[in-house]
Amino acid sequence: MVCVPQLDEVLDGLHVVSLPMRVRFRGITVREVALIEGPVGWGEFGAFPEYEPPEAVFWLASAVEAAYRAPPAVRRDRIPINATVPAVVARQVPEVLSRFPGARTAKVKVAEPGQTLADDVVRVNAVRALVPTVRVDANGGWSVDEAAEAAAALTADGPLEYIEQPCATVPELAALRRRVDVAIAADESIRKADDPLRVVREHAADVAVLKVAPLGGVARILEIADQIDIPIVVSSALDSAVGIGRGLLAAAALPDLPYACGLGTGGLFVDDVGEPVEPVDGFLPVAPVTPDPARLAALAAASDRRRWWIDRIKACYPLMS
């Protein structure tokens, strides 16, 4: 964790915002986050509502790190990003991709509850017709047998760069990796695990997807990077512009960055706390984000929601060290 300021100091710099979304993503159409202004910059606490304090505290630590700790040195000033395609119908794919100008890679959500593998194939092929490199994300939604079937179906008409978190557990990922030719990426098996390095030790993944907030901050990302020998993709946890800025910083500080990062999710919001920065030739610039006061006011959450986030910070705060 990070050096912890006084709770009152954290709450004094608190802004809670509600960001309307263009399409349903992860089951929501409005994204709430708490932003913390500190002496170094702005941090974002956006743990999803279902996360209890023992898990949400890492997100709070990440926000405090951003607001109170000097950033690391960077190795690059722009980051390649992938387009993110939610589990939309195929006819919506061109509209979604239009929000990611120049992106040469797209991540497509699959295994959505209530949808079929046939729906996934149609969506992936619609993306493949417009973007040269396609990866998919199942969020642990398949069994090993289902994932093997999906891998065959989703590669019948073209390759996949990788399948992200096809199964929920590390043993399942390892078993699937032995059965399919497609690269396997781990996300939840890293960021929601007591031991985020287990996937590497058990040869369960070819790629590590790391998200700044769920892992506790940029410094923790860099620590993990020092301990693993597989490529890293830095991705968003449906962050506001503030959180995206931290993800870009982490990606910029990594020794190697062979893959496009999942940091283009700002295009999923109707409005954000900072002036939208569109990708140029598929890249986003690395720069800290200072929210616009007018946007903070316009996007401020209702008073009861602000109180909910304050209570949540108070519940997480004693767990920080």
Side-chain angles (χ1 to χ4, degrees):
M1 299 283 183
V2 298
C3 181
V4 183
Q6 294 296 311
L7 175 60
D8 288 348
E9 187 178 354
V10 171
L11 296 179
D12 283 346
L14 185 69
H15 300 261
V16 179
V17 294
S18 296
L19 307 179
M21 301 182 65
R22 298 181 188 276
V23 294
R24 181 176 294 275
F25 189 83
R26 207 185 175 278
I28 61 175
T29 56
V30 175
R31 176 70 164 124
E32 281 188 354
V33 298
L35 302 177
I36 298 170
E37 183 180 10
V40 172
W42 288 75
E44 176 173 329
F45 175 46
F48 294 107
E50 67 270 21
Y51 291 2
E52 296 296 327
E55 186 171 0
V57 67
F58 290 97
W59 301 63
L60 182 57
S62 178
V64 170
E65 175 196 68
Y68 289 87
R69 180 172 175 177
V74 298
R75 300 167 185 263
R76 50 193 69 85
D77 61 7
R78 64 176 193 156
I79 303 300
I81 58 102
N82 65 247
T84 299
V85 181
V88 297
V89 295
R91 67 175 180 275
Q92 291 181 276
V93 164
E95 177 190 354
V96 172
L97 290 177
S98 71
R99 302 182 199 124
F100 303 90
R104 306 285 294 170
T105 301
K107 181 171 81 169
V108 186
K109 290 291 184 178
V110 293
E112 183 82 357
Q115 296 188 3
T116 67
L117 178 56
D119 296 325
D120 294 337
V121 170
V122 172
R123 184 183 315 111
V124 167
N125 283 338
V127 174
R128 191 177 273 133
L130 299 172
V131 178
T133 302
V134 179
R135 56 182 68 154
V136 300
D137 183 6
N139 291 116
W142 293 319
S143 68
V144 174
D145 288 341
E146 289 169 338
E149 178 187 2
L154 293 168
T155 56
D157 299 306
L160 290 176
E161 186 176 42
Y162 58 69
I163 301 177
E164 181 175 328
Q165 201 67 44
C167 307
T169 70
V170 171
E172 286 176 317
L173 293 180
L176 178 66
R177 189 166 177 258
R178 292 191 293 267
R179 287 179 57 175
V180 301
D181 294 329
V182 184
I184 303 300
D187 172 13
E188 287 90 343
S189 289
I190 296 174
R191 66 178 169 88
K192 295 176 76 70
D194 293 334
D195 178 3
L197 304 180
R198 182 184 174 197
V199 291
V200 177
R201 288 199 309 275
E202 298 194 14
H203 307 287
D206 303 281
V207 177
V209 178
L210 304 185
K211 298 180 177 179
V212 171
L215 287 169
V218 172
R220 180 59 177 146
I221 293 270
L222 300 180
E223 288 175 6
I224 292 173
D226 283 341
Q227 299 176 67
I228 64 176
D229 59 359
I230 60 175
I232 289 172
V233 172
V234 180
S235 193
S236 161
L238 199 55
D239 304 317
S240 78
V242 171
I244 292 293
R246 296 298 290 180
L248 291 167
L249 173 66
L254 287 171
D256 300 297
L257 196 69
Y259 290 101
C261 288
L263 296 169
T265 53
L268 298 175
F269 296 124
V270 175
D271 203 355
D272 206 338
V273 295
E275 187 68 26
V277 178
E278 286 199 348
V280 176
D281 297 328
F283 288 77
L284 282 173
V286 177
V289 174
T290 300
D292 173 41
R295 289 172 181 267
L296 284 177
L299 296 167
S303 58
D304 62 322
R305 296 305 303 163
R306 175 179 169 82
R307 171 50 55 186
W308 186 88
W309 281 94
I310 289 174
D311 290 344
R312 196 177 195 202
I313 290 172
K314 289 180 176 179
C316 291
Y317 184 83
L319 303 179
M320 294 180 66
S321 60

